Amino acid sequence: MERLIGACVSVFRIAGEPEVTLEANPESVSESRLAAYRQAGVNRISFGVQSFRDEELRRLSRLHDASRARTAYLEARQAGFDNISLDLMMWLPAQAIDAWLASVDAAIALAPDHLSLYLLEVYPNAPLKDEMARARWSQAPDEDAASMYLTEVLDRRRMAGIWLWCTLDLRRQAVEEPDRD
């Protein structure tokens, strides 16, 4: 990791202190790995927590549980990360609004520096789609998803002092990305 970061810094003109982010799942890190990533120059870590509810994590076939997600977060802080992001998914199979909000509250309680909230997208050939059909799970109807996202979550983030960064990116059709020189 250190060689990779060093190569990037030597090849590209980087102004100021670069943000170097590592995306990880809670089960894939350890105290020693986190310390090594930090030592190598990684200064931001983003954990794919997805949920703080064990039953939802099992439904998603995730390898970690809620306790491991909390522990990974605390280990990252202990390793010196002062920029930690948590990713949560909403609109999970059989997810009620109160269950979603419990995950949001658990994430806010950890005080991450960034919280990303995603809608679950189930692809046609995904094993989850077959499992949902067998178990007769459904995703929340559209009104529930809008309510979860736009009302309750925004109220909670205000109370927690979290700034609204962006809510949605919408695009009717693909367009060429602009130059970012």
Side-chain angles (χ1 to χ4, degrees), residues 61 92 111 125:
S61 299
L92 301 179
N125 295 327

Side-chain angles (χ1 to χ4, degrees), residues 60-180:
L60 293 171
S61 299
R62 301 298 294 192
L63 299 178
H64 68 275
D65 60 17
S67 176
R68 178 63 201 143
R70 286 182 186 88
T71 299
Y73 176 89
L74 296 172
E75 289 172 345
R77 285 284 188 222
Q78 185 104 26
F81 283 93
D82 56 6
N83 193 351
I84 302 175
S85 177
L86 301 178
D87 298 346
L88 294 181
M89 284 186 176
M90 64 179 134
W91 211 358
L92 301 179
Q95 183 182 58
I97 291 174
D98 61 336
W100 161 243
L101 295 174
S103 273
V104 171
D105 290 342
I108 289 172
L110 289 173
D113 304 285
H114 186 138
L115 184 58
S116 293
L117 312 173
Y118 297 96
L119 286 170
L120 172 67
E121 185 174 350
V122 182
Y123 296 100
N125 295 327
L128 179 59
K129 185 173 179 84
D130 294 338
E131 189 171 342
M132 286 175 65
R134 280 192 302 276
R136 298 178 191 246
W137 292 329
S138 65
Q139 286 182 287
D142 290 338
E143 303 94 44
D144 284 351
S147 174
M148 284 190 290
Y149 187 70
L150 296 174
T151 308
E152 296 291 335
V153 171
L154 293 179
D155 287 346
R156 278 171 165 72
R157 67 97 194 159
R158 274 188 210 99
M159 289 186 294
I162 299 171
W163 289 91
L164 181 62
W165 185 286
C166 65
T167 55
L168 297 172
D169 265 343
L170 303 172
R171 185 171 14 199
R172 188 170 303 281
Q173 63 190 71
V175 294
E176 190 173 318
E177 290 293 321
D179 261 350
R180 301 194 186 248

Side-chain angles (χ1 to χ4, degrees), residues 7-83:
C8 290
V9 169
S10 69
V11 171
F12 300 104
R13 284 182 296 162
I14 299 174
E17 184 66 29
E19 180 179 273
V20 181
T21 302
L22 175 74
E23 299 223 358
N25 290 317
E27 76 278 1
S28 68
V29 298
S30 65
E31 289 181 53
S32 60
R33 277 188 173 178
L34 288 163
Y37 294 143
R38 190 67 191 96
Q39 182 67 35
V42 176
N43 53 19
R44 179 176 183 266
I45 191 160
S46 179
F47 287 117
V49 173
Q50 315 319 352
S51 175
F52 280 99
R53 299 182 50 84
D54 290 340
E55 62 274 12
E56 290 176 349
L57 292 166
R58 281 190 295 273
R59 268 187 228 128
L60 293 171
S61 299
R62 301 298 294 192
L63 299 178
H64 68 275
D65 60 17
S67 176
R68 178 63 201 143
R70 286 182 186 88
T71 299
Y73 176 89
L74 296 172
E75 289 172 345
R77 285 284 188 222
Q78 185 104 26
F81 283 93
D82 56 6
N83 193 351

